């Protein structure tokens, strides 16, 4: 059984930074793409950033230049460094991993940015 556990959320003032982490555990031989999604109240969950197993990142336009996704394949971990945070970044952030062609999700971590 595979589990994803996020950490690092919290409350921060606009302009501040947070670093999210997600660790995958269980029967894992290889992890494909890893992603961070976010969902704000009343808004559909959407992808924030993706990183391939080779380490190639892509970002949503709304976070380009402010967020950085990275991963450590040896530790089955993905991170999201979030800088210059804005109130509109407030959401629950979810980690997602493609493992053996199945998508696994973490439980989510709340990020709140005050103005």
């Amino acid at each position: 059984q595979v589990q994803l556990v996020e950490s690092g959320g919290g409350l921060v003032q606009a302009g501040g930074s947070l670093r999210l982490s997600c660790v995958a555990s269980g029967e894992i031989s290889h992890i494909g793409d890893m992603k961070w999604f976010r969902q704000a109240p009343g808004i559909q969950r959407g992808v924030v950033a993706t990183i391939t197993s080779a380490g190639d990142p892509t970002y949503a336009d709304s976070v380009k230049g402010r967020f950085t996704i990275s991963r450590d394949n040896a530790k089955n971990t993905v991170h999201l460094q979030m800088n210059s945070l804005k109130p509109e970044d407030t959401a629950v952030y979810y980690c997602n991993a493609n493992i053996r062609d199945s998508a696994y999700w973490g439980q989510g971590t709340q990020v709140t940015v005050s103005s």
Side-chain angles (χ1 to χ4, degrees):
Q1 187 143 0
V2 174
Q3 286 189 321
L4 302 182
V5 178
E6 300 107 334
S7 61
L11 173 63
V12 65
Q13 289 188 332
S17 298
L18 284 174
R19 179 177 170 86
L20 305 183
S21 296
C22 172
V23 180
S25 62
E27 296 182 6
I28 300 170
S29 58
H30 173 74
I31 303 177
D33 289 356
M34 301 186 81
K35 303 182 181 186
W36 286 97
F37 285 75
R38 68 185 180 187
Q39 186 169 22
I43 298 176
Q44 189 173 2
R45 188 178 300 187
V47 63
V48 174
T50 301
I51 187 165
T52 68
S53 57
D56 297 320
T58 56
Y59 300 95
D61 287 343
S62 59
V63 306
K64 280 181 181 176
R66 300 188 298 122
F67 290 11
T68 302
I69 189 171
S70 61
R71 65 189 285 172
D72 184 335
N73 291 333
K75 296 181 179 179
N76 292 334
T77 301
V78 62
H79 304 284
L80 186 69
Q81 177 67 42
M82 305 185 294
N83 299 328
S84 303
L85 282 162
K86 305 175 181 180
E88 52 263 44
D89 294 318
T90 295
V92 178
Y93 283 71
Y94 296 90
C95 172
N96 169 280
N98 184 310
I99 301 171
R100 295 189 298 275
D101 293 326
S102 294
Y104 292 87
W105 294 87
Q107 80 287 353
T109 185
Q110 177 70 46
V111 171
T112 302
V113 184
S114 63
S115 57

